[in-house]
Amino acid sequence: MTLSDLVVRAAALASGPGRAVLGITGSPGAGKSTLVEALLRELDPGRVAHVPMDGFHLADVALRAIGRLDAKGAPDTFDVGGYVALLRRIRADAEDVIYAPAFERDLEQPLAGAIAIPRAARLVLTEGNYLLVESGRWPEVAAQLDEVWFCDPRPDVRLDQLIARHVAFGKEPDTARAWVAAVDEPNARLVEATRSRADLVVPAPVLEALPTC
């Protein structure tokens, strides 16, 4: 399997009469965004769009109100209903343009209406940790996806990437490692248990060969 194989498979999803939605999942730090960025560079830009699940993070003010700020990133800290509603609108293919939220990494906050999905986009990529989780309303997400690919990096690479990402966005190294151990790794165990439900597992050699710029 190579990136070219993945591009061909993704493009095939967009060849049908309706709009297709491809989910990219995996544990925190697995390389989901890197894979999405690689696909976006290779696919026809006029026919593809990208909607991250992270745009449906609850804002810090909402997490603080429900006492979950210290668990930010866990399955119950997302607006799953809003995500499902957006995916249904995308699949309905009845609007000239649909606006979706993004996640602003510098602020670590969702940003409403930041992504435009034009009618011409026949394939929409969406990535997130919990696309195949079977609890709560998450199965409603999976029901809107034509395929789900699971990113499966080497565990040590995933942890290094995850800690580096937290440090890059402002955490001290010790704080980053503590956050990963207390928050990200319990979430990762939940996500790892969903691997068997994926349509395709993208292995470590493919992920490590992806361009990062």
Side-chain angles (χ1 to χ4, degrees), residues 119-144:
R119 191 73 173 270
R122 309 320 297 157
L123 175 65
V124 176
L125 308 180
T126 186
E127 95 276 6
N129 296 340
Y130 307 121
L131 305 188
L132 294 174
V133 166
E134 292 190 306
S135 60
R137 296 192 64 181
W138 291 104
E140 296 177 56
V141 171
Q144 300 303 315

Side-chain angles (χ1 to χ4, degrees), residues 102-202:
F103 189 72
E104 175 51 62
R105 284 286 176 190
D106 290 334
L107 299 174
E108 286 289 302
Q109 295 295 297
L111 189 61
I115 298 170
I117 306 165
R119 191 73 173 270
R122 309 320 297 157
L123 175 65
V124 176
L125 308 180
T126 186
E127 95 276 6
N129 296 340
Y130 307 121
L131 305 188
L132 294 174
V133 166
E134 292 190 306
S135 60
R137 296 192 64 181
W138 291 104
E140 296 177 56
V141 171
Q144 300 303 315
L145 307 177
D146 292 272
E147 285 194 0
V148 182
W149 299 354
F150 190 98
C151 295
D152 188 29
R154 290 189 288 119
D156 58 327
V157 171
R158 183 182 65 80
L159 283 173
D160 287 346
Q161 291 176 164
L162 187 54
I163 292 169
R165 185 174 73 194
H166 282 303
V167 171
F169 288 102
K171 287 184 173 68
E172 293 296 324
D174 287 346
T175 302
R177 283 188 284 270
W179 181 274
V180 167
V183 179
D184 290 328
E185 285 309 280
N187 296 337
R189 289 191 287 273
L190 173 65
V191 176
E192 287 293 328
T194 72
R195 179 197 324 234
S196 64
R197 293 192 282 278
D199 297 285
L200 177 72
V201 174
V202 182

